[in-house]
Amino acid sequence: MTAVRDVAAPPRPPALPRLPRLSRLPRLPRSGRVADALACGTYLAAALLLYRGLWAGGPAGRYLVDSGQDQRQWEWFFAVTARAVAHGENPLTTTLQNHPDGVNLMANTSMPGLSIPLAPITWLFGPSATWAVVLTLGLAATAAAWYYLISRHLVASRPAAALGGAFCAFAPPMVSHANAHPNLAVLFVLPLIIDRLIRVAGGRRPIRDGVLLGLLTTYQIFLGEEALLLAATGIALFAPTYACVAPGAARAALPHLARGVGVGAALCGVLVAYPLWWQFTGPQSYTNLLHGPAGNDLAALTAYADRSLAGDIDVSARLSMNRTEENAFFGWPLLVLAVAITVALWRTALTKALAAVLVGAALFSLGPEIIVDGEATGIFGPWKLLGQLPLYESVLESRFTMVCVPVLGILLALGAQAAGRAGDRRIRLLWFVVVVQALLPLLPQPLATAPREPTPAFFADGTWRRFTGPGRAIVTVPLPDPGDARALTWQVDAGLGFPLAEGYFVGPFGPDRLGGYGAVTRATSQLLREVRDGGVVPEVSDADRAQARADLAFWRADAVVLGPHDRQEALRGTLDRLLGPGVPIGGVWLWDVRAGGAAGAG
């Protein structure tokens, strides 16, 4: 077999076998540059169309409906990181949530690789603008990066590469995470890492390429460690399969890989040593994040996602955790097409290795026990063993179908090129019809948005400053948690001028420091959550009042604030019984709990 070569490089020793006649691609002509620009422009237009509701009227006034509370959390991450940069503070930690214990930002998905360099956007236009920019440009950049990898190493046809790149960024799992999880949707660095691995294997400049590999891997760690783990698992499935079917190429590449990857790993290890130490052993670190069984239902592989053109909300709701975790939903026509492409191109080592990744990742995604249309089969999947390993125990196993996304995109590109080279027009026509049938139902609809709720004037106009001293917290009711994080937006709109009690983040629970969502609740916050959920004012005892005073002292609170809420009357009645009568001010109810405060003295 021939070798994988860089499009602009002269011939070099064989590295990774590829399809025939693709190892000596010419230097990129002007027409190729035009094609590249057209592809990237199309990807950006597609991303803008996907997020048109977010940009309409300005991101500050719109909210992605299916993001739940995650958009509030991400905007808070962007805001608090920008504040840390502006004040020269440690961007890996903060006490602005979960006061006074704080939050380990490195142990959360704060994406410092983007939140730090984009801090000027946050300063000038606010975190909602940063959120919109990250999602829109990030998704377009992800498509462009996969297009670059496919066009430079796998196919000569620019249209075929463009098709593959588009699928890699706009496939149903990607669109699902594009509602709420930029760490799993903004993946433009991963194709660049793979590109550098291929170059290292080629052996032309393994040390230089190894250094770049280390820098790219470091950057990806600051964008999303889970995505890097998923990609590394896919590479771990690809490499041994490739070595088995192309042992000669593997032996030729091994010395170069040993040198280049060794250099990259050493460099990356030095650069991330302190941040990872902080993440795993620093304040508010945790050991692992346990989710429980979260595998894909086998039926989800052939179904359609809610936001796909052929989606059915009832089906997707039944087969997924929520709209941000529709991690399969490829539709049966695409899977049949992928099998057909694999069979047609089975002679190549690349196709065989891709098939191994596709099957392996899909099996991992099914979880410890195979579920078919909601029914347990009693058949154990490979995740039962893999999920026990360090790091993997913190991953939602259903997300392993995201490893399948670029594999399917590459297979589509390979199939498109093979069909385009076919001499028989009937084959090209058949390919066009089949691809349309497979991909048209998967086309994403624009993501749903809604107007934001206005921030109460108490926070927006600075009234809060009259009731809170430096370093003292405001207790918002209900206290922020994964179910209701509106207080994070109020705090951001107040300029992050005060810390909040509790919050929405990942932190440690119990003596074993197991990771969980939100803060360790105290008795008073738990009581208020029960009122929020049930709408009933409870009997309040002297012991409850004493506990409330103790909890407020722990939080170092100067004020308790009840904002607009569906259960406002029940919550207000409970707080009146706990703290005395509150006063209305700036669109909220206030209990001034400072010594000698004007409200809440009873």
Side-chain angles (χ1 to χ4, degrees):
M1 285 191 177
T2 53
V4 171
R5 302 184 187 280
D6 177 56
V7 68
R12 60 179 184 265
L16 300 177
R18 58 188 303 167
L19 292 176
R21 294 180 289 173
L22 296 187
S23 60
R24 296 178 181 270
L25 296 181
R27 233 174 244 282
L28 188 62
R30 179 179 178 82
S31 60
R33 294 195 297 271
V34 171
D36 291 349
L38 181 60
C40 293
T42 302
Y43 297 148
L44 178 58
L48 287 169
L49 180 61
L50 186 70
Y51 289 112
R52 68 179 184 184
L54 193 61
W55 288 101
R62 307 297 296 180
Y63 197 88
L64 287 170
V65 173
D66 294 337
S67 70
Q69 301 302 307
D70 286 0
Q71 181 172 342
R72 305 183 200 277
Q73 183 192 56
W74 276 100
E75 291 176 350
W76 186 89
F77 283 148
F78 293 139
V80 77
T81 303
R83 181 183 185 275
V85 173
H87 292 82
E89 298 170 350
N90 183 355
L92 305 181
T93 187
T94 184
T95 56
L96 286 170
Q97 263 194 86
N98 196 35
H99 190 74
D101 292 335
V103 177
N104 188 324
L105 292 174
M106 189 62 196
N108 281 261
T109 55
S110 58
M111 288 185 85
L114 286 178
S115 57
I116 290 176
L118 294 181
I121 293 179
T122 307
W123 299 332
L124 293 173
F125 305 106
S128 56
T130 307
W131 164 257
V133 167
V134 165
L135 289 173
T136 306
L137 295 186
L139 210 61
T142 300
W146 282 110
Y147 167 79
Y148 171 83
L149 176 72
I150 296 170
S151 64
R152 269 46 174 188
H153 294 291
L154 302 176
V155 301
S157 167
R158 289 296 191 271
L163 174 64
F167 184 84
C168 289
F170 297 97
M174 293 290 292
V175 172
S176 175
H177 287 288
N179 277 291
H181 304 147
N183 58 311
L184 293 172
V186 181
L187 304 178
F188 63 90
V189 174
L190 296 180
L192 304 182
I193 290 175
I194 298 171
D195 165 72
R196 204 50 53 178
L197 279 171
I198 293 175
R199 294 174 187 270
V200 168
R204 188 182 181 195
R205 296 178 180 176
I207 301 302
R208 184 204 65 171
D209 290 330
V211 169
L212 293 175
L213 176 64
L215 293 174
L216 286 168
T217 304
T218 299
Y219 187 48
Q220 179 58 47
I221 287 173
F222 292 114
L223 293 179
E225 296 169 52
E226 184 176 358
L228 182 60
L229 179 63
L230 294 174
T233 306
I235 293 170
L237 291 170
F238 181 94
T241 306
Y242 202 98
C244 288
V245 296
R251 285 193 298 269
L254 188 59
H256 308 310
L257 286 169
R259 293 174 65 196
V261 173
V263 168
L267 176 61
C268 179
V270 170
L271 294 175
V272 303
Y274 178 74
L276 291 184
W277 172 85
W278 188 279
Q279 174 180 343
F280 291 106
T281 66
Q284 290 299 105
S285 60
Y286 52 89
T287 53
N288 53 62
L289 184 60
L290 300 182
H291 295 283
N296 281 318
D297 191 307
L298 188 62
L301 297 177
T302 58
Y304 292 105
D306 172 42
R307 292 300 177 192
S308 293
L309 196 60
D312 185 322
I313 186 172
D314 294 328
V315 172
S316 59
R318 177 168 52 85
L319 298 177
S320 64
M321 295 175 60
N322 54 58
R323 285 179 172 173
T324 67
E325 294 291 345
E326 293 177 348
N327 289 316
F329 298 91
F330 297 116
W332 65 265
L334 175 61
L335 297 183
V336 171
L337 177 58
V339 171
I341 295 171
T342 302
V343 172
L345 303 178
W346 186 250
R347 68 187 184 280
T348 68
L350 175 62
T351 304
K352 293 173 183 175
L354 289 173
V357 178
L358 187 64
V359 173
L363 287 175
F364 290 152
S365 80
L366 299 179
E369 182 181 2
I370 309 301
I371 306 295
V372 180
D373 204 18
E375 298 293 331
T377 65
I379 301 172
F380 294 124
W383 183 256
K384 189 172 180 64
L385 298 176
L386 184 65
Q388 305 301 315
L389 299 178
L391 300 181
Y392 286 97
E393 82 278 356
S394 299
V395 177
L396 284 175
E397 57 268 32
S398 65
R399 292 177 176 175
F400 269 90
T401 40
M402 299 191 70
V403 179
C404 301
V405 169
V407 175
L408 290 169
I410 293 170
L411 287 175
L412 285 170
L414 293 173
Q417 175 169 263
R421 289 179 168 179
D424 192 334
R425 291 181 57 188
R426 291 173 298 180
I427 294 179
R428 295 196 294 272
L429 178 60
L430 176 62
W431 166 260
F432 177 79
V433 172
V434 170
V435 166
V436 169
Q437 289 179 334
L439 298 186
L440 183 61
L442 301 180
L443 285 180
Q445 303 178 60
L447 300 183
T449 61
R452 290 177 183 260
E453 300 174 348
T455 294
F458 178 84
F459 298 105
D461 66 10
T463 303
W464 60 270
R465 291 188 177 91
R466 294 162 43 193
F467 302 96
T468 309
R472 302 289 291 180
I474 289 180
V475 177
T476 55
V477 178
L479 281 80
D481 64 9
D484 186 348
R486 283 176 290 181
L488 302 188
T489 299
W490 300 345
Q491 185 192 35
V492 168
D493 289 344
L496 297 173
F498 57 85
L500 287 171
E502 302 193 4
Y504 179 22
F505 59 94
V506 180
F509 283 75
D512 295 330
R513 296 175 43 247
L514 295 177
Y517 293 97
V520 176
T521 57
R522 299 184 68 82
T524 302
S525 57
Q526 183 60 37
L527 173 64
L528 292 171
R529 284 192 179 91
E530 291 172 359
V531 176
R532 175 195 70 183
D533 296 338
V536 177
V537 178
E539 294 295 327
V540 174
S541 65
D542 289 339
D544 294 325
R545 296 185 184 93
Q547 182 63 56
R549 290 193 294 271
D551 291 340
L552 291 170
F554 172 81
W555 291 320
R556 303 175 190 174
D558 275 353
V560 176
V561 174
L562 171 61
H565 196 276
D566 293 342
R567 300 284 172 79
Q568 188 178 64
E569 289 304 314
L571 289 165
R572 177 189 164 197
T574 304
L575 288 168
D576 283 344
R577 293 186 180 189
L578 282 172
L579 306 174
V583 295
I585 181 171
V588 303
W589 284 88
L590 170 72
W591 288 259
D592 187 343
V593 295
R594 296 171 296 180

